[in-house]
Amino acid sequence: MSLILLIETSTAVCSVALAQGDRVLAVQHIPEPKSQASRLAPAIQTLLKEQGCALSECDAVAVSAGPGSYTGLRVGVSTAKGLCFGSGKPLIAVNSLDILAQNCIDLLAHNPERLRTFPPHTLIVPMMDARRMEVYTARYQMDGKSLSAPQAMIVGADSFQDILSQGPVIFTGDGAQKCSPLLSHPNTYIEPLFPTAQGMRIAAQRAFQTKHYVDLAYFEPFYLKDFIIPL
């Protein structure tokens, strides 16, 4: 089974993990907000050292591709590129909303009693804060299958009524927590998670098996919308 270094930096906090197949061997969380630039490289070094593993033993490096924090994504992608350039390892990019959806699936999987309360047609809607009442979002099935492309959305009182009228919807992420006052339908469930590196393992493994790598020279984070300097 492939050994993949996972790097997640799409929000104010970040994490790194080492995964073999679909099993996470170790993880390092960096809870201090906006500390990616100073803490990411040391966290990777610590992770590999504690596992007695060198980067040369990894089969690939995976990084969160966005959408998300402009600064966080730039730091994560530049770090991952540097590691791949130096080691000759391929680079895998994982959509940040895919990661957040998988984090939610994992949370429910570790709580079987709660998982059984949701019917199979339940939807998972990750929402990442994009300033004011805007979020980055997409829709997923309970098995992690994506049902829509990522989009930037301004959330209002009428948002998501089409799917909420059809059954339970689990909104997850810091954007869901921010918008919770507007998500008052009885079918609404809120899980205020952050994306973590553990949630990258399945998508990264799938990409490795199909050799779905990104070009080191030209790959850029998926920002989804243009950067605007706050006034």
Side-chain angles (χ1 to χ4, degrees):
M1 289 185 290
S2 57
L3 187 66
I4 303 178
L5 176 65
L6 311 172
I7 302 172
E8 207 302 303
T9 62
S10 62
T11 62
V13 297
C14 60
S15 57
V16 295
L18 195 63
Q20 191 161 40
D22 62 358
R23 184 167 65 97
V24 174
L25 303 179
V27 61
Q28 286 274 328
H29 290 284
I30 304 172
E32 296 87 352
K34 301 180 181 179
S35 61
Q36 295 99 329
S38 61
R39 297 290 303 279
L40 182 58
I44 294 171
Q45 292 175 344
T46 299
L47 178 77
L48 294 174
K49 182 177 180 181
E50 289 183 349
Q51 291 300 302
C53 176
L55 183 61
S56 59
E57 298 175 66
C58 295
D59 295 295
V61 176
V63 67
S64 50
S69 160
Y70 294 98
T71 300
L73 292 172
R74 286 196 298 270
V75 170
V77 169
S78 62
T79 299
K81 280 187 173 185
L83 293 173
C84 291
F85 272 123
S87 64
K89 303 298 179 180
L91 179 61
I92 295 167
V94 181
N95 185 284
S96 305
L97 294 169
D98 292 356
I99 299 170
L100 189 49
Q102 185 62 51
N103 287 141
C104 186
I105 292 169
D106 292 342
L107 178 68
L108 293 174
H110 284 89
N111 191 345
E113 290 187 6
R114 185 165 184 230
L115 178 60
R116 284 193 289 270
T117 66
F118 292 105
H121 64 274
T122 300
L123 296 183
I124 296 175
V125 178
M127 300 169 70
M128 301 179 72
D129 190 0
R131 295 182 181 275
R132 298 183 178 88
M133 295 310 294
E134 190 170 17
V135 298
Y136 303 122
T137 189
R139 301 177 183 186
Y140 296 79
Q141 293 179 344
M142 289 285 277
D143 61 1
K145 181 181 178 180
S146 175
L147 297 175
S148 67
Q151 63 174 310
M153 171 189 289
I154 297 175
V155 179
D158 296 329
S159 299
F160 305 106
Q161 293 302 308
D162 58 329
I163 54 175
L164 284 167
S165 64
Q166 298 176 18
V169 180
I170 304 172
F171 297 93
T172 187
D174 57 354
Q177 188 173 21
K178 176 184 72 172
C179 296
S180 59
L182 297 173
L183 302 172
S184 58
H185 193 283
N187 281 332
T188 294
Y189 297 84
I190 304 290
E191 288 291 351
L193 303 175
F194 282 96
T196 66
Q198 297 101 307
M200 303 175 65
R201 68 194 188 284
I202 295 175
Q205 179 67 221
R206 186 183 304 120
F208 181 79
Q209 291 173 346
T210 59
K211 300 186 183 303
H212 189 202
Y213 310 136
V214 295
D215 190 296
L216 284 181
Y218 297 104
F219 174 69
E220 294 291 337
F222 176 47
Y223 294 120
L224 194 55
K225 65 176 188 176
D226 294 333
F227 176 65
I228 299 174
I229 299 175
L231 300 176

PDB file of all heavy atoms in Angstrom, residues 11 15 25 48 50-51 57 61 66 79-80 96-98 102 113 125 130-132 138 161 167 183 193 203 205:
ATOM      1  N   THR A  11      -7.605  26.392   5.893  1.00  0.00           N
ATOM      2  CA  THR A  11      -8.274  27.295   6.822  1.00  0.00           C
ATOM      3  C   THR A  11      -7.241  27.927   7.753  1.00  0.00           C
ATOM      4  O   THR A  11      -6.039  27.803   7.532  1.00  0.00           O
ATOM      5  CB  THR A  11      -9.336  26.558   7.655  1.00  0.00           C
ATOM      6  OG1 THR A  11      -8.710  25.542   8.455  1.00  0.00           O
ATOM      7  CG2 THR A  11     -10.387  25.914   6.759  1.00  0.00           C
ATOM      8  N   SER A  15      -2.947  21.015   9.470  1.00  0.00           N
ATOM      9  CA  SER A  15      -2.521  19.717   9.985  1.00  0.00           C
ATOM     10  C   SER A  15      -1.778  18.959   8.901  1.00  0.00           C
ATOM     11  O   SER A  15      -1.915  19.237   7.704  1.00  0.00           O
ATOM     12  CB  SER A  15      -3.727  18.905  10.465  1.00  0.00           C
ATOM     13  OG  SER A  15      -4.671  18.737   9.429  1.00  0.00           O
ATOM     14  N   LEU A  25      -1.463   6.779   9.882  1.00  0.00           N
ATOM     15  CA  LEU A  25      -0.446   6.290  10.806  1.00  0.00           C
ATOM     16  C   LEU A  25      -0.150   7.300  11.912  1.00  0.00           C
ATOM     17  O   LEU A  25       0.097   6.919  13.061  1.00  0.00           O
ATOM     18  CB  LEU A  25       0.855   5.970  10.049  1.00  0.00           C
ATOM     19  CG  LEU A  25       0.744   4.972   8.899  1.00  0.00           C
ATOM     20  CD1 LEU A  25       2.104   4.788   8.237  1.00  0.00           C
ATOM     21  CD2 LEU A  25       0.196   3.630   9.388  1.00  0.00           C
ATOM     22  N   LEU A  48       7.484  13.016  10.431  1.00  0.00           N
ATOM     23  CA  LEU A  48       8.306  11.984   9.797  1.00  0.00           C
ATOM     24  C   LEU A  48       9.306  11.388  10.785  1.00  0.00           C
ATOM     25  O   LEU A  48       9.511  10.162  10.819  1.00  0.00           O
ATOM     26  CB  LEU A  48       9.035  12.571   8.586  1.00  0.00           C
ATOM     27  CG  LEU A  48       8.140  13.005   7.415  1.00  0.00           C
ATOM     28  CD1 LEU A  48       8.958  13.692   6.340  1.00  0.00           C
ATOM     29  CD2 LEU A  48       7.387  11.808   6.829  1.00  0.00           C
ATOM     30  N   GLU A  50       9.064  11.168  14.099  1.00  0.00           N
ATOM     31  CA  GLU A  50       8.406  10.324  15.094  1.00  0.00           C
ATOM     32  C   GLU A  50       8.000   8.971  14.517  1.00  0.00           C
ATOM     33  O   GLU A  50       7.882   7.977  15.255  1.00  0.00           O
ATOM     34  CB  GLU A  50       7.181  11.043  15.660  1.00  0.00           C
ATOM     35  CG  GLU A  50       7.542  12.225  16.564  1.00  0.00           C
ATOM     36  CD  GLU A  50       6.317  12.878  17.161  1.00  0.00           C
ATOM     37  OE1 GLU A  50       5.185  12.558  16.719  1.00  0.00           O
ATOM     38  OE2 GLU A  50       6.481  13.724  18.055  1.00  0.00           O
ATOM     39  N   GLN A  51       7.781   8.929  13.213  1.00  0.00           N
ATOM     40  CA  GLN A  51       7.422   7.670  12.561  1.00  0.00           C
ATOM     41  C   GLN A  51       8.641   6.909  12.045  1.00  0.00           C
ATOM     42  O   GLN A  51       8.505   5.831  11.448  1.00  0.00           O
ATOM     43  CB  GLN A  51       6.449   7.928  11.407  1.00  0.00           C
ATOM     44  CG  GLN A  51       5.077   8.373  11.860  1.00  0.00           C
ATOM     45  CD  GLN A  51       4.399   7.355  12.752  1.00  0.00           C
ATOM     46  OE1 GLN A  51       4.190   6.214  12.362  1.00  0.00           O
ATOM     47  NE2 GLN A  51       4.061   7.767  13.975  1.00  0.00           N
ATOM     48  N   GLU A  57      10.922   7.733   1.524  1.00  0.00           N
ATOM     49  CA  GLU A  57      10.148   6.496   1.655  1.00  0.00           C
ATOM     50  C   GLU A  57       8.683   6.693   1.296  1.00  0.00           C
ATOM     51  O   GLU A  57       7.940   5.717   1.142  1.00  0.00           O
ATOM     52  CB  GLU A  57      10.265   5.956   3.081  1.00  0.00           C
ATOM     53  CG  GLU A  57      11.689   5.591   3.490  1.00  0.00           C
ATOM     54  CD  GLU A  57      11.767   5.181   4.940  1.00  0.00           C
ATOM     55  OE1 GLU A  57      11.189   4.134   5.300  1.00  0.00           O
ATOM     56  OE2 GLU A  57      12.383   5.910   5.732  1.00  0.00           O
ATOM     57  N   VAL A  61       3.148  13.115  -2.218  1.00  0.00           N
ATOM     58  CA  VAL A  61       2.745  14.173  -1.294  1.00  0.00           C
ATOM     59  C   VAL A  61       1.398  14.689  -1.774  1.00  0.00           C
ATOM     60  O   VAL A  61       1.213  14.943  -2.968  1.00  0.00           O
ATOM     61  CB  VAL A  61       3.764  15.324  -1.258  1.00  0.00           C
ATOM     62  CG1 VAL A  61       3.272  16.460  -0.368  1.00  0.00           C
ATOM     63  CG2 VAL A  61       5.131  14.823  -0.778  1.00  0.00           C
ATOM     64  N   GLY A  66      -7.722  23.836  -2.270  1.00  0.00           N
ATOM     65  CA  GLY A  66      -8.673  24.918  -2.238  1.00  0.00           C
ATOM     66  C   GLY A  66     -10.050  24.399  -2.631  1.00  0.00           C
ATOM     67  O   GLY A  66     -10.195  23.232  -3.039  1.00  0.00           O
ATOM     68  N   THR A  79       4.921  24.712   0.021  1.00  0.00           N
ATOM     69  CA  THR A  79       5.662  23.729   0.815  1.00  0.00           C
ATOM     70  C   THR A  79       5.633  22.364   0.138  1.00  0.00           C
ATOM     71  O   THR A  79       6.663  21.688   0.015  1.00  0.00           O
ATOM     72  CB  THR A  79       5.065  23.618   2.228  1.00  0.00           C
ATOM     73  OG1 THR A  79       5.154  24.880   2.882  1.00  0.00           O
ATOM     74  CG2 THR A  79       5.803  22.573   3.054  1.00  0.00           C
ATOM     75  N   ALA A  80       4.453  21.952  -0.310  1.00  0.00           N
ATOM     76  CA  ALA A  80       4.323  20.651  -0.966  1.00  0.00           C
ATOM     77  C   ALA A  80       5.143  20.602  -2.260  1.00  0.00           C
ATOM     78  O   ALA A  80       5.811  19.598  -2.545  1.00  0.00           O
ATOM     79  CB  ALA A  80       2.849  20.365  -1.257  1.00  0.00           C
ATOM     80  N   SER A  96     -10.528  20.976  -1.125  1.00  0.00           N
ATOM     81  CA  SER A  96     -10.729  21.191   0.307  1.00  0.00           C
ATOM     82  C   SER A  96     -12.142  20.834   0.762  1.00  0.00           C
ATOM     83  O   SER A  96     -12.339  20.390   1.905  1.00  0.00           O
ATOM     84  CB  SER A  96     -10.430  22.654   0.661  1.00  0.00           C
ATOM     85  OG  SER A  96      -9.137  23.022   0.241  1.00  0.00           O
ATOM     86  N   LEU A  97     -13.130  21.018  -0.092  1.00  0.00           N
ATOM     87  CA  LEU A  97     -14.500  20.653   0.274  1.00  0.00           C
ATOM     88  C   LEU A  97     -14.669  19.139   0.326  1.00  0.00           C
ATOM     89  O   LEU A  97     -15.432  18.618   1.159  1.00  0.00           O
ATOM     90  CB  LEU A  97     -15.491  21.280  -0.700  1.00  0.00           C
ATOM     91  CG  LEU A  97     -15.559  22.813  -0.649  1.00  0.00           C
ATOM     92  CD1 LEU A  97     -16.362  23.358  -1.825  1.00  0.00           C
ATOM     93  CD2 LEU A  97     -16.168  23.283   0.670  1.00  0.00           C
ATOM     94  N   ASP A  98     -13.948  18.415  -0.530  1.00  0.00           N
ATOM     95  CA  ASP A  98     -13.933  16.955  -0.446  1.00  0.00           C
ATOM     96  C   ASP A  98     -13.388  16.514   0.912  1.00  0.00           C
ATOM     97  O   ASP A  98     -13.883  15.563   1.526  1.00  0.00           O
ATOM     98  CB  ASP A  98     -13.059  16.355  -1.545  1.00  0.00           C
ATOM     99  CG  ASP A  98     -13.622  16.525  -2.947  1.00  0.00           C
ATOM    100  OD1 ASP A  98     -14.746  17.059  -3.081  1.00  0.00           O
ATOM    101  OD2 ASP A  98     -12.931  16.145  -3.904  1.00  0.00           O
ATOM    102  N   GLN A 102     -15.360  14.454   3.885  1.00  0.00           N
ATOM    103  CA  GLN A 102     -14.843  13.187   4.415  1.00  0.00           C
ATOM    104  C   GLN A 102     -14.651  13.261   5.924  1.00  0.00           C
ATOM    105  O   GLN A 102     -14.895  12.278   6.637  1.00  0.00           O
ATOM    106  CB  GLN A 102     -13.522  12.836   3.731  1.00  0.00           C
ATOM    107  CG  GLN A 102     -12.963  11.477   4.118  1.00  0.00           C
ATOM    108  CD  GLN A 102     -13.884  10.338   3.734  1.00  0.00           C
ATOM    109  OE1 GLN A 102     -14.326  10.243   2.589  1.00  0.00           O
ATOM    110  NE2 GLN A 102     -14.192   9.461   4.690  1.00  0.00           N
ATOM    111  N   GLU A 113     -24.278   4.890  16.483  1.00  0.00           N
ATOM    112  CA  GLU A 113     -25.654   5.129  16.913  1.00  0.00           C
ATOM    113  C   GLU A 113     -26.224   6.380  16.265  1.00  0.00           C
ATOM    114  O   GLU A 113     -27.375   6.403  15.824  1.00  0.00           O
ATOM    115  CB  GLU A 113     -25.706   5.243  18.440  1.00  0.00           C
ATOM    116  CG  GLU A 113     -25.463   3.924  19.162  1.00  0.00           C
ATOM    117  CD  GLU A 113     -25.702   4.047  20.644  1.00  0.00           C
ATOM    118  OE1 GLU A 113     -26.158   5.131  21.089  1.00  0.00           O
ATOM    119  OE2 GLU A 113     -25.426   3.074  21.373  1.00  0.00           O
ATOM    120  N   VAL A 125     -23.255  18.916   3.264  1.00  0.00           N
ATOM    121  CA  VAL A 125     -22.935  20.184   2.600  1.00  0.00           C
ATOM    122  C   VAL A 125     -21.818  20.876   3.379  1.00  0.00           C
ATOM    123  O   VAL A 125     -22.074  21.545   4.385  1.00  0.00           O
ATOM    124  CB  VAL A 125     -24.176  21.093   2.508  1.00  0.00           C
ATOM    125  CG1 VAL A 125     -23.809  22.431   1.864  1.00  0.00           C
ATOM    126  CG2 VAL A 125     -25.279  20.416   1.701  1.00  0.00           C
ATOM    127  N   ALA A 130     -16.071  32.401   3.705  1.00  0.00           N
ATOM    128  CA  ALA A 130     -15.474  33.214   2.642  1.00  0.00           C
ATOM    129  C   ALA A 130     -15.767  34.696   2.861  1.00  0.00           C
ATOM    130  O   ALA A 130     -15.954  35.444   1.908  1.00  0.00           O
ATOM    131  CB  ALA A 130     -15.981  32.762   1.277  1.00  0.00           C
ATOM    132  N   ARG A 131     -15.837  35.116   4.122  1.00  0.00           N
ATOM    133  CA  ARG A 131     -16.069  36.504   4.538  1.00  0.00           C
ATOM    134  C   ARG A 131     -17.548  36.870   4.441  1.00  0.00           C
ATOM    135  O   ARG A 131     -18.266  36.426   3.569  1.00  0.00           O
ATOM    136  CB  ARG A 131     -15.231  37.507   3.728  1.00  0.00           C
ATOM    137  CG  ARG A 131     -13.719  37.341   3.955  1.00  0.00           C
ATOM    138  CD  ARG A 131     -12.957  38.392   3.156  1.00  0.00           C
ATOM    139  NE  ARG A 131     -11.511  38.245   3.325  1.00  0.00           N
ATOM    140  CZ  ARG A 131     -10.828  38.782   4.338  1.00  0.00           C
ATOM    141  NH1 ARG A 131     -11.455  39.477   5.262  1.00  0.00           N
ATOM    142  NH2 ARG A 131      -9.519  38.629   4.423  1.00  0.00           N
ATOM    143  N   ARG A 132     -17.953  37.732   5.346  1.00  0.00           N
ATOM    144  CA  ARG A 132     -19.345  38.178   5.470  1.00  0.00           C
ATOM    145  C   ARG A 132     -20.271  36.958   5.484  1.00  0.00           C
ATOM    146  O   ARG A 132     -20.038  36.029   6.225  1.00  0.00           O
ATOM    147  CB  ARG A 132     -19.680  39.194   4.382  1.00  0.00           C
ATOM    148  CG  ARG A 132     -18.816  40.469   4.471  1.00  0.00           C
ATOM    149  CD  ARG A 132     -19.222  41.491   3.428  1.00  0.00           C
ATOM    150  NE  ARG A 132     -18.419  42.707   3.556  1.00  0.00           N
ATOM    151  CZ  ARG A 132     -17.258  42.902   2.971  1.00  0.00           C
ATOM    152  NH1 ARG A 132     -16.751  41.967   2.185  1.00  0.00           N
ATOM    153  NH2 ARG A 132     -16.585  44.023   3.144  1.00  0.00           N
ATOM    154  N   ALA A 138     -20.379  22.902  -1.588  1.00  0.00           N
ATOM    155  CA  ALA A 138     -20.742  21.898  -2.589  1.00  0.00           C
ATOM    156  C   ALA A 138     -21.640  20.888  -1.878  1.00  0.00           C
ATOM    157  O   ALA A 138     -21.880  21.008  -0.668  1.00  0.00           O
ATOM    158  CB  ALA A 138     -19.513  21.227  -3.179  1.00  0.00           C
ATOM    159  N   GLN A 161     -33.225  25.540   0.435  1.00  0.00           N
ATOM    160  CA  GLN A 161     -34.573  25.046   0.678  1.00  0.00           C
ATOM    161  C   GLN A 161     -34.925  23.882  -0.239  1.00  0.00           C
ATOM    162  O   GLN A 161     -35.729  23.014   0.122  1.00  0.00           O
ATOM    163  CB  GLN A 161     -35.587  26.187   0.500  1.00  0.00           C
ATOM    164  CG  GLN A 161     -35.483  27.283   1.551  1.00  0.00           C
ATOM    165  CD  GLN A 161     -35.665  26.757   2.954  1.00  0.00           C
ATOM    166  OE1 GLN A 161     -36.647  26.073   3.245  1.00  0.00           O
ATOM    167  NE2 GLN A 161     -34.725  27.057   3.837  1.00  0.00           N
ATOM    168  N   GLY A 167     -35.194  16.123   2.701  1.00  0.00           N
ATOM    169  CA  GLY A 167     -34.661  15.240   3.732  1.00  0.00           C
ATOM    170  C   GLY A 167     -33.549  15.895   4.522  1.00  0.00           C
ATOM    171  O   GLY A 167     -33.231  17.083   4.317  1.00  0.00           O
ATOM    172  N   LEU A 183     -30.020  28.840   8.973  1.00  0.00           N
ATOM    173  CA  LEU A 183     -30.315  27.459   8.606  1.00  0.00           C
ATOM    174  C   LEU A 183     -31.234  26.858   9.667  1.00  0.00           C
ATOM    175  O   LEU A 183     -30.835  26.028  10.477  1.00  0.00           O
ATOM    176  CB  LEU A 183     -29.016  26.652   8.497  1.00  0.00           C
ATOM    177  CG  LEU A 183     -27.994  27.187   7.483  1.00  0.00           C
ATOM    178  CD1 LEU A 183     -26.678  26.447   7.594  1.00  0.00           C
ATOM    179  CD2 LEU A 183     -28.542  27.100   6.068  1.00  0.00           C
ATOM    180  N   LEU A 193     -17.038  21.517  11.951  1.00  0.00           N
ATOM    181  CA  LEU A 193     -15.699  20.944  11.826  1.00  0.00           C
ATOM    182  C   LEU A 193     -14.779  21.854  11.028  1.00  0.00           C
ATOM    183  O   LEU A 193     -15.227  22.721  10.279  1.00  0.00           O
ATOM    184  CB  LEU A 193     -15.777  19.583  11.125  1.00  0.00           C
ATOM    185  CG  LEU A 193     -16.656  18.514  11.750  1.00  0.00           C
ATOM    186  CD1 LEU A 193     -16.705  17.287  10.846  1.00  0.00           C
ATOM    187  CD2 LEU A 193     -16.144  18.136  13.129  1.00  0.00           C
ATOM    188  N   ALA A 203      -9.146  10.212  -0.892  1.00  0.00           N
ATOM    189  CA  ALA A 203      -9.003  10.874  -2.189  1.00  0.00           C
ATOM    190  C   ALA A 203      -7.559  10.806  -2.675  1.00  0.00           C
ATOM    191  O   ALA A 203      -7.297  10.612  -3.872  1.00  0.00           O
ATOM    192  CB  ALA A 203      -9.453  12.328  -2.095  1.00  0.00           C
ATOM    193  N   GLN A 205      -5.301   8.497  -1.939  1.00  0.00           N
ATOM    194  CA  GLN A 205      -5.013   7.117  -2.342  1.00  0.00           C
ATOM    195  C   GLN A 205      -5.613   6.815  -3.720  1.00  0.00           C
ATOM    196  O   GLN A 205      -4.968   6.196  -4.570  1.00  0.00           O
ATOM    197  CB  GLN A 205      -5.579   6.150  -1.302  1.00  0.00           C
ATOM    198  CG  GLN A 205      -5.364   4.689  -1.606  1.00  0.00           C
ATOM    199  CD  GLN A 205      -3.903   4.278  -1.540  1.00  0.00           C
ATOM    200  OE1 GLN A 205      -3.421   3.509  -2.368  1.00  0.00           O
ATOM    201  NE2 GLN A 205      -3.185   4.818  -0.565  1.00  0.00           N
TER     202      GLN A 205
END
